[in-house]
């Protein structure tokens, strides 16, 4: 079965990494790869990696539905705005129309973060959660997000490992394998866990070394800081902590250990600061 594929978020770090690795992933045959874009610059960039740019307003339900159905797109990677449900519903209904037209099995791969299965997301389980857990759907369904601050342990995953998981999911789709869907369609990408306090400490030290902050002391955000962060994120201050805060059966294993995020913190700060200098 030949699938046409749509990547959203191809200008971001998840979608962009996936697109950059797609052609050299030695996948089974597939049809066209479309990349959702908003500008001519983005269009030129995705074309360099073999994708056909798709100019489409995801908030125009008729336009995005027509684009998916007319191109007979049967696999969608949704890597944008995980907290808005409307766009996903429209795309899933469009996939249903593609299935009716072509008879193909359709797939919608939706990405959220580890927060969905943390206390930030209302999950009150102290045990490690695995994507092989048959109760995973029920755990998430019954969660009641408190939007309170917790300095807890956090699952982490290198972007390259995350892209490798996406590619392995796609490989199994193209092979026609049953990898799980609906209540059994969870894929938790993590190589391990790191305490948030250690992550904050690593980045604070990197910033202090460059004189961006006065010292490397990490303190709780006060009301003024939360308001400023909320304004930048476009959310209510109570939701700021929630905003900032793997399946081996399909053949995926991470290459980077969880401690890598601490080792890479200094280089990451350097890269971000250089990027800010170029934009200013």
């Amino acid at each position: 079965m030949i699938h046409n594929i749509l990547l959203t978020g191809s200008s971001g770090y998840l979608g962009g990494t996936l697109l950059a690795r797609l052609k050299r992933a030695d996948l089974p045959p597939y049809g066209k790869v479309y990349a959702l874009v908003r500008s001519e610059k983005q269009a030129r960039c995705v074309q360099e990696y073999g994708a056909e740019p798709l100019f489409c307003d995801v908030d125009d339900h008729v336009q995005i539905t027509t684009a998916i159905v007319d191109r007979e797109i049967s696999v969608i990677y949704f890597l944008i705005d995980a907290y808005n449900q409307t766009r996903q519903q429209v795309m899933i209904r469009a996939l249903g129309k593609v299935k009716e037209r072509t008879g193909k099995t359709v797939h919608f791969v939706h990405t959220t973060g580890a927060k969905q299965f943390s206390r930030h997301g209302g999950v009150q389980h102290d045990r490690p959660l695995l994507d092989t857990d048959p109760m995973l759907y029920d755990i998430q369904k019954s969660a009641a997000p408190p939007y309170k601050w917790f300095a807890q342990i956090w699952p982490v995953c290198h972007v390259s490992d995350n892209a490798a998981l996406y590619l392995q999911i796609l490989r199994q789709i193209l092979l026609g394998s049953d990898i799980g869907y609906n209540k059994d369609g969870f894929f938790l990408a993590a190589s391990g866990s790191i305490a948030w306090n250690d992550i904050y400490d690593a980045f604070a030290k990197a910033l202090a070394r460059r004189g961006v902050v006065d010292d490397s002391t990490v303190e709780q955000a006060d009301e003024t800081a939360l308001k400023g962060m909320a304004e930048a994120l476009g959310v209510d201050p109570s939701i700021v902590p929630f905003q900032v805060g793997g399946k081996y059966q399909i053949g995926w294993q991470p290459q980077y250990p969880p401690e890598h995020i601490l080792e890479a913190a200094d280089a990451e700060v350097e890269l971000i600061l250089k990027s800010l200098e170029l934009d200013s």
Side-chain angles (χ1 to χ4, degrees):
M1 183 179 295
I2 300 298
H3 289 278
N4 292 331
I5 304 160
L6 173 62
L7 301 181
T8 68
S10 54
S11 62
Y13 75 102
L14 289 179
T17 305
L18 172 59
L19 178 58
R21 292 167 178 249
L22 192 60
K23 292 200 74 172
R24 63 177 188 265
D26 193 26
L27 295 171
Y30 53 86
K32 284 190 174 183
V33 177
Y34 297 94
L36 198 66
V37 297
R38 293 171 294 180
S39 68
E40 290 292 343
K41 181 179 179 181
Q42 289 180 354
R44 290 192 297 271
C45 288
V46 301
Q47 285 175 319
E48 291 180 10
Y49 292 99
E52 183 172 319
L54 176 57
F55 286 91
C56 199
D57 181 0
V58 291
D59 293 316
D60 186 326
H61 298 177
V62 174
Q63 186 184 52
I64 191 66
T65 298
T66 301
I68 292 169
V69 175
D70 287 354
R71 290 165 179 79
E72 296 186 355
I73 292 168
S74 51
V75 177
I76 297 177
Y77 276 80
F78 191 87
L79 310 177
I80 55 173
D81 193 12
Y83 303 106
N84 182 328
Q85 301 178 15
T86 305
R87 297 165 175 172
Q88 296 93 313
Q89 293 172 2
V90 172
M91 290 185 178
I92 290 170
R93 284 193 289 268
L95 285 174
K97 294 182 178 180
V98 173
K99 184 176 182 178
E100 291 176 2
R101 174 188 285 193
T102 66
K104 292 181 181 180
T105 301
V106 294
H107 302 266
F108 187 82
V109 184
H110 185 267
T111 296
T112 62
K115 292 185 287 289
Q116 297 292 352
F117 289 97
S118 73
R119 288 183 176 86
H120 291 300
V123 175
Q124 303 299 325
H125 284 262
D126 293 327
R127 61 183 175 85
L129 293 177
L130 305 178
D131 48 21
T132 53
D133 190 327
M135 298 300 295
L136 206 57
Y137 173 83
D138 297 308
I139 289 171
Q140 187 184 38
K141 188 72 173 178
S142 61
Y147 299 128
K148 292 181 180 178
W149 183 255
F150 288 90
Q152 68 193 68
I153 301 298
W154 207 255
V156 292
C157 185
H158 194 282
V159 65
S160 296
D161 285 331
N162 210 117
L165 175 60
Y166 288 147
L167 290 170
Q168 192 61 13
I169 291 172
L170 182 56
R171 177 175 285 106
Q172 297 302 322
I173 287 173
L174 298 176
L175 288 171
S177 304
D178 181 5
I179 61 173
Y181 60 94
N182 289 346
K183 293 183 179 181
D184 297 319
F186 289 91
F187 300 88
L188 305 184
S191 58
S193 298
I194 291 291
W196 262 120
N197 284 344
D198 291 339
I199 297 174
Y200 297 147
D201 184 62
F203 280 92
K205 287 178 178 177
L207 289 167
R209 273 194 294 270
R210 291 163 175 80
V212 179
V213 295
D214 295 333
D215 59 63
S216 61
T217 305
V218 178
E219 298 180 355
Q220 190 89 332
D222 58 20
E223 185 175 342
T224 301
L226 284 175
K227 286 182 178 179
M229 296 163 71
E231 184 178 348
L233 292 168
V235 298
D236 185 86
S238 65
I239 304 178
V240 169
F242 183 76
Q243 288 283 64
V244 300
K247 280 192 176 177
Y248 294 99
Q249 295 93 324
I250 65 170
W252 174 81
Q253 292 190 24
Q255 297 182 21
Y256 293 87
E259 296 80 12
H260 180 77
I261 189 174
L262 304 180
E263 299 166 359
D266 192 77
E268 190 73 14
V269 168
E270 181 72 15
L271 180 64
I272 293 171
L273 292 177
K274 285 183 178 179
S275 177
L276 292 174
E277 289 174 3
L278 290 174
D279 291 339
S280 61

